[in-house]
Amino acid sequence: MSTKAFASQADLQDKQVSFTKLSDHAYAYTAEGDPNTGVIIGDDAVMVIDTQATPVMAQDVIRRIREVTDKPIQYVVLSHYHAVRVLGASAYGAQHIIASQDTYDLIVERGEQDKASEIGRFPRLFRAVESIPPGLTWPTITFTGKMTIWLGKLEVQLLQLGRGHTKGDTVAWLPQERILFSGDLVEFDATPYAGDAYFRDWPQTLDNLAALKPEKLVPGRGAALTTSEQVQQGLAGTKAFIEDMRAAVEEGVRAGKDLRAVYKEVYARLQPKYGRWVIFDHCMPFDVTRCYDELTAYPDPRIWTAERDRQMWEALEG
Ligand SMILES: [Zn+2]
């Protein structure tokens, strides 16, 4: 294997944005595998789910929203704490920024390190990085388990259905229209990032999402899924990736192999099936490292810092 550029530093090609109407109340802002933003338009207010990485990038979401409604953007929901999803929040001027208490706790514990780490990994995804205000994005409302917001007559449920991509994963669910905004718990034609994941829990959490019987789903990355067949594909593909990786890493751990040896084997095994998904080469070292950690000494994800990112990459890809 030749030496690969660190993370996504060699990925410089801008993506084509789509703003897909799912119903009179729901839109998906997607960009060929870059992080998505969900939009819910209620009777009197707009809710945005995940913000984009910088305020300048969020302005493009706002421009699309303004093409379909002039209602005020009152709510920003953070599906989880990752910088690429939360640091554009200030652009919306929303009264309320909502996250699970678990997500809030992660921002306290590791928000600063995550910010530095993610900006280093994905320079293209932090366009106009200087527009990010100092500090972090702080939720103004937190909840545990379930919270319901009524946008007039439109019911929006914010649900924690289990750990997976992170400890604090939140989905937004429109029960009247069976539309689900999954955050990074579900990806489509994009590699799940699992560097902060709970491999043991993620498959069951996906089953819990499936039990809602969504008819449409906005994944964390990839195109909006607009039929129940596509939703099933998105859920099944993500679950297969997580289960295949866990099984492959577990085999190496049982055989007493070190992380580098396990990484090489797992990469070779998963590449034929998943290698065409975007950010595959970026995610694999982080995902295998976290899975190896979980199966050995670390029930909870260790904090990634810009320095640890580089050390890990050198150890596995150098
Ligand atoms: Zn994420």
Side-chain angles (χ1 to χ4, degrees):
M1 207 179 300
S2 62
T3 304
K4 293 170 184 165
F6 170 68
S8 287
Q9 289 200 338
D11 172 358
L12 301 172
Q13 185 74 40
D14 272 332
K15 301 293 178 82
Q16 182 73 37
V17 169
S18 301
F19 194 58
T20 307
K21 182 174 184 174
L22 303 176
S23 76
D24 285 344
H25 299 111
Y27 288 80
Y29 180 98
T30 66
E32 299 183 310
D34 278 355
N36 294 338
T37 291
V39 175
I40 299 174
I41 301 173
D43 294 335
D44 45 14
V46 177
M47 173 183 284
V48 166
I49 299 139
D50 292 337
T51 74
Q52 300 292 305
T54 69
V56 163
M57 295 176 76
Q59 286 300 337
D60 191 53
V61 180
I62 295 169
R63 187 177 65 75
R64 305 282 181 147
I65 293 172
R66 288 297 165 241
E67 287 173 0
V68 296
T69 182
D70 56 7
K71 292 170 187 169
I73 301 167
Q74 281 184 354
Y75 300 94
V76 165
V77 172
L78 309 178
S79 68
H80 62 288
Y81 74 96
H82 283 149
V84 76
R85 308 218 160 244
V86 310
L87 292 179
S90 62
Y92 299 93
Q95 283 95 324
H96 308 291
I97 298 178
I98 309 174
S100 68
Q101 182 62 41
D102 289 319
T103 287
Y104 188 97
D105 293 344
L106 286 166
I107 295 171
V108 171
E109 180 192 54
R110 58 183 70 194
E112 285 290 357
Q113 293 98 322
D114 177 70
K115 180 178 179 178
S117 153
E118 289 200 52
I119 290 171
R121 294 180 192 182
F122 293 101
R124 180 177 60 78
L125 288 186
F126 286 88
R127 192 170 71 239
V129 68
E130 69 284 353
S131 65
I132 299 170
L136 301 171
T137 299
W138 291 104
T140 59
I141 299 175
T142 62
F143 73 100
T144 299
K146 178 178 179 179
M147 176 178 194
T148 302
I149 310 265
W150 290 92
L151 300 177
K153 290 191 174 64
L154 184 71
E155 180 179 6
V156 184
Q157 295 179 2
L158 305 179
L159 305 169
Q160 279 186 287
L161 295 174
R163 303 186 297 191
H165 178 69
T166 70
K167 181 177 76 172
D169 297 330
T170 294
V171 301
W173 172 235
L174 300 180
Q176 295 149 327
E177 302 184 343
R178 313 204 77 76
I179 298 173
L180 185 66
F181 299 82
S182 69
D184 281 326
L185 277 171
V186 181
E187 311 292 17
F188 190 71
D189 280 343
T191 310
Y193 172 73
D196 302 302
Y198 289 82
F199 280 83
R200 275 188 188 85
D201 299 10
W202 198 334
Q204 179 60 53
T205 301
L206 290 168
D207 289 348
N208 297 342
L209 265 59
L212 296 170
K213 298 192 169 30
E215 287 172 7
K216 298 176 184 178
L217 186 150
V218 180
R221 290 171 175 268
L225 308 176
T226 58
T227 66
S228 48
E229 292 74 27
Q230 284 185 340
V231 171
Q232 286 312 311
Q233 274 178 37
L235 290 163
T238 306
K239 187 175 174 184
F241 177 87
I242 295 301
E243 291 183 334
D244 286 353
M245 174 166 292
R246 181 157 186 248
V249 173
E250 193 162 28
E251 215 172 279
V253 168
R254 288 227 171 108
K257 294 178 178 159
D258 68 14
L259 174 59
R260 185 180 164 94
V262 170
Y263 173 67
K264 299 293 181 195
E265 285 180 13
V266 173
Y267 184 96
R269 194 186 298 188
L270 268 58
Q271 202 277 338
K273 190 170 172 185
Y274 304 108
R276 65 181 178 81
W277 284 356
V278 299
I279 63 168
F280 181 79
D281 280 0
H282 170 131
C283 288
M284 283 299 287
F286 295 98
D287 291 8
V288 173
T289 298
R290 168 59 196 144
C291 191
Y292 187 93
D293 270 4
E294 184 179 290
L295 288 163
T296 53
Y298 300 94
D300 291 300
R302 287 189 281 158
I303 295 173
W304 290 104
T305 63
E307 189 186 17
R308 182 179 169 226
D309 284 3
R310 297 290 187 158
Q311 286 170 350
M312 179 281 291
W313 197 270
E314 182 58 31
L316 297 190
E317 292 286 3

